[in-house]
């Protein structure tokens, strides 16, 4: 089960954060942040992108204030980066990427 959590903003919207298995062959996890009107709509946004088995149970890993700021300032409200392997690496220097960079399919080589 993927770790995740949410945070309700004063405006009424919700930021959902999930650690999901990386779709690449390298393994590992990615941290995905979604801004939506409620938790159900946030999960629906991910499912509509092809991430069908996405569930949020509990609030074990809510988004940090820095993550909330990042997703609020992104025009799509849907971003990701690789998840740190341990708590010691919590302050990752990797920048946030738009979700289409994660789901992009490479064109077949001719």
């Amino acid at each position: 089960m993927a770790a995740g959590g949410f945070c309700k903003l004063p405006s009424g919207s919700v930021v959902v954060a999930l650690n999901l298995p990386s779709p690449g062959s390298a393994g590992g996890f990615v941290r995905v942040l979604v801004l939506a009107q409620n938790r159900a709509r946030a999960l629906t946004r991910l499912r509509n992108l092809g991430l069908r088995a996405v569930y949020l149970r509990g609030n074990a890993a809510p988004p940090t204030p820095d993550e909330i700021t990042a997703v609020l300032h992104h025009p799509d409200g849907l971003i990701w980066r690789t998840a740190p392997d341990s708590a010691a690496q919590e302050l990752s220097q990797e920048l946030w990427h738009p979700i289409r960079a994660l789901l992009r399919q490479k064109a077949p080589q001719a």
Side-chain angles (χ1 to χ4, degrees):
M1 182 186 317
F6 66 95
C7 180
K8 188 160 184 158
L9 303 176
S11 65
S13 58
V14 173
V15 175
V16 173
L18 293 167
N19 288 352
L20 302 173
S22 178
S25 60
F29 288 89
V30 293
R31 179 86 165 164
V32 178
L33 299 175
V34 184
L35 176 66
Q37 289 180 339
N38 57 43
R39 286 180 285 171
R41 287 190 182 199
L43 296 176
T44 299
R45 287 186 73 187
L46 290 173
R47 290 179 185 134
N48 287 342
L49 292 171
L51 302 171
R52 298 288 180 205
V54 176
Y55 297 98
L56 179 62
R57 293 187 178 100
N59 200 13
T64 64
D66 289 339
E67 291 176 334
I68 293 170
T69 301
V71 76
L72 286 174
H73 285 90
H74 194 272
D76 292 338
L78 191 55
I79 55 177
W80 72 277
R81 72 176 173 193
T82 55
D85 292 333
S86 66
Q89 297 176 348
E90 186 61 35
L91 298 175
S92 175
Q93 297 298 321
E94 182 182 358
L95 297 176
W96 291 96
H97 308 284
I99 196 70
R100 63 184 163 269
L102 180 65
L103 303 175
R104 186 177 302 146
Q105 298 292 328
K106 292 186 178 185
Q109 300 290 330

